[in-house]
Amino acid sequence: MKIWKFLLIVLMIFANLAFAQPSFADRPKFSKNPDYIEVTKTLNELSQTKDAQTDVEGLTPKEIQKRIEELTLQKYALETGINWGQCNNQTGNTIAVYGKRPNDEDNEDAVYDNNLYFLANGQSTKKNWDCDGIYLGNDIKVANFTSSFNGQGQKLTGPAALKILDGTQLVIKTDPDTAAIELNVPTVKVLNSNEANWFIPDISQALINTRVPNAPSNQS
């Protein structure tokens, strides 16, 4: 009788391992994620720059440290499997944000990889709903912005799509004196139609303000 009980326990153990194996196989391979590769590369470059006390064009030592801290958290978020970002609108206007199509919609005939949604002032996109980035109209200016993680690159000109990394809470505000857009994180990337299959129209902020807000959101 004891032998049968022993065999039953062994069989249960093997059965649990057999069912658990796919979960290990499906763990996200963050090391192959393009965002992870770029974040790691830039973090290493900035850390070496800081250690060597050398200058980076367009960045002060304080700004270098801020970007190192931001990228460290971005790297950790990607390593732990966080697969969504959040956008918070504090601009005083409706803004356009990019996000995935709902799961219940048929994606086979989709023209673009992302949908363009509209987020009302004072709202943030819902938890676990992935805000991939924001759209800036052709008449919008961004304060203190360059087009790469390390601070180098051309200044932003609209219209533009800005991509954020997973694990980021992007807060968008308006400078009351200059009316320029301010972003709370430096690690955003400018995309064009050649780099991503996103809808990037040539429209003004005034037109965006006429749209009905439809982004999945929370009142902030």
Side-chain angles (χ1 to χ4, degrees):
M1 190 69 179
K2 291 182 178 180
I3 295 177
W4 284 108
K5 287 184 178 180
F6 174 76
L7 291 175
L8 181 61
I9 292 172
V10 171
L11 183 61
M12 291 175 63
I13 292 174
F14 277 104
N16 286 333
L17 289 174
F19 283 110
Q21 187 173 2
S23 64
F24 289 108
D26 293 339
R27 290 185 63 184
K29 298 179 180 179
F30 60 84
S31 61
K32 296 183 179 180
N33 184 323
D35 286 344
Y36 182 80
I37 293 172
E38 185 168 7
V39 165
T40 302
K41 178 177 180 292
T42 307
L43 181 58
N44 290 339
E45 290 175 353
L46 290 178
S47 297
Q48 292 172 4
T49 297
K50 178 186 175 184
D51 293 341
Q53 296 183 344
T54 55
D55 296 330
V56 175
E57 184 180 353
L59 289 180
T60 65
K62 184 176 180 180
E63 289 171 335
I64 292 175
Q65 179 60 33
K66 181 180 179 181
R67 287 174 187 260
I68 289 175
E69 293 172 358
E70 174 68 23
L71 288 168
T72 299
L73 290 181
Q74 295 291 352
K75 183 172 181 285
Y76 173 76
L78 293 168
E79 289 173 342
T80 53
I82 296 177
N83 60 0
W84 58 281
Q86 189 174 49
C87 296
N88 187 312
N89 179 13
Q90 301 294 330
T91 63
N93 297 297
T94 297
I95 64 170
V97 300
Y98 291 98
K100 297 294 188 294
R101 296 167 60 87
N103 292 331
D104 58 351
E105 289 189 11
D106 186 3
N107 290 327
E108 292 183 0
D109 297 326
V111 178
Y112 300 101
D113 294 337
N114 277 332
N115 276 5
L116 196 62
Y117 297 87
F118 300 97
L119 184 67
N121 177 55
Q123 291 188 345
S124 60
T125 53
K126 262 190 173 181
K127 182 180 180 180
N128 293 321
W129 185 84
D130 187 15
C131 181
D132 285 324
I134 62 172
Y135 168 81
L136 298 179
N138 54 26
D139 53 351
I140 294 296
K141 297 179 180 179
V142 180
N144 301 322
F145 183 85
T146 50
S147 60
S148 64
F149 289 154
N150 60 13
Q152 299 173 353
Q154 296 180 351
K155 295 292 183 180
L156 176 64
T157 57
L162 304 185
K163 180 182 182 297
I164 66 172
L165 299 178
D166 291 338
T168 298
Q169 184 187 60
L170 179 67
V171 180
I172 310 102
K173 296 183 178 181
T174 302
D175 186 310
D177 297 323
T178 64
I181 293 294
E182 295 180 337
L183 308 176
N184 68 316
V185 294
T187 50
V188 292
K189 184 176 181 180
V190 180
L191 297 179
N192 58 48
S193 56
N194 295 325
E195 296 174 310
N197 186 27
W198 292 17
F199 178 53
I200 310 175
D202 188 2
I203 59 177
S204 67
Q205 177 60 43
L207 183 59
I208 294 174
N209 286 338
T210 67
R211 301 299 91 186
V212 175
N214 62 348
S217 62
N218 298 317
Q219 192 73 29
S220 64

